[in-house]
Amino acid sequence: GAEIVGSITGSTITGSTITGTTITGGTVRTSSSGDRIQLSDNLLRAYANGIQRVRLDTTSLRFYDSNGSYAGHISASPSTLLIDADYEIWLTQHTWVDGGLRPGANNTYSLGGGSSRWSRIFLQYNPDVASDIRLKSNIQNIPNGLLGELKEIKPKMYQQGEKWHFG
């Protein structure tokens, strides 16, 4: 059976210990305000300083910033684990990928940035850089005024591994 230490008045239980029981329906709060955990049917919420920071329901785990604004969530379907953030997802230490890693849309996202460059990239094959005439637009002849400038360029060739390059 259940043991209740404290008192029950109407629908309020006061005291510090409830052991060995099942609570059905209603809402259970560890505190009426401030830092607390709140549990109701299929929903758990965690609050810090009275602001909801975490919400767990039957479909997702949601996170909120210190102002209570949505920050991101984790959810799952039979074939996908979705980790979504309102702005950035930071992965620290060593992160391994066992499968493909690709952007969600073509020609939309950067890998690195002007002040956050990768130090080394190890590739099995040469990178696939799109230089296909079908992907280019507004192709024109070089104006005669620039042809003289192009003659000033001193082209070179060099060997990188077994392959010769020109530039």
Side-chain angles (χ1 to χ4, degrees):
E3 176 187 344
I4 299 175
V5 177
S7 62
I8 300 175
T9 308
S11 61
T12 302
I13 300 173
T14 58
S16 60
T17 306
I18 300 175
T19 55
T21 190
T22 300
I23 300 172
T24 305
T27 300
V28 177
R29 291 183 187 89
T30 58
S31 175
S32 61
S33 64
D35 294 350
R36 67 183 186 277
I37 303 291
Q38 180 175 312
L39 176 64
S40 58
D41 291 341
N42 298 321
L43 179 63
L44 179 125
R45 297 178 187 189
Y47 294 81
N49 298 316
I51 298 172
Q52 179 177 257
R53 298 297 306 276
V54 177
R55 173 190 166 128
L56 174 64
D57 60 33
T58 58
T59 61
S60 68
L61 174 61
R62 297 180 188 150
F63 300 92
Y64 302 86
D65 66 19
S66 59
N67 296 316
S69 298
Y70 173 83
H73 76 277
I74 300 172
S75 60
S77 69
S79 62
T80 304
L81 176 66
L82 173 66
I83 302 173
D84 179 48
D86 193 43
Y87 183 62
E88 292 178 328
I89 297 172
W90 284 70
L91 303 174
T92 60
Q93 301 302 320
H94 299 285
T95 303
W96 298 87
V97 175
D98 187 10
L101 178 64
R102 62 183 181 181
N106 189 41
N107 199 26
T108 303
Y109 304 105
S110 298
L111 182 60
S115 61
S116 56
R117 298 179 184 275
W118 296 96
S119 63
R120 294 168 65 180
I121 299 175
F122 298 89
L123 302 171
Q124 180 70 34
Y125 304 103
N126 289 330
D128 179 7
V129 179
S131 184
D132 188 323
I133 195 165
R134 294 171 295 176
L135 301 173
K136 299 176 181 179
S137 63
N138 202 14
I139 298 172
Q140 303 174 23
N141 290 329
I142 298 173
N144 288 333
L146 290 177
L147 287 176
E149 299 290 326
L150 290 174
K151 291 179 184 176
E152 299 296 318
I153 296 174
K154 306 221 182 316
K156 305 287 181 193
M157 61 187 259
Y158 60 94
Q159 192 171 6
Q160 187 174 18
E162 297 293 318
K163 190 172 181 180
W164 282 94
H165 298 268
F166 302 88

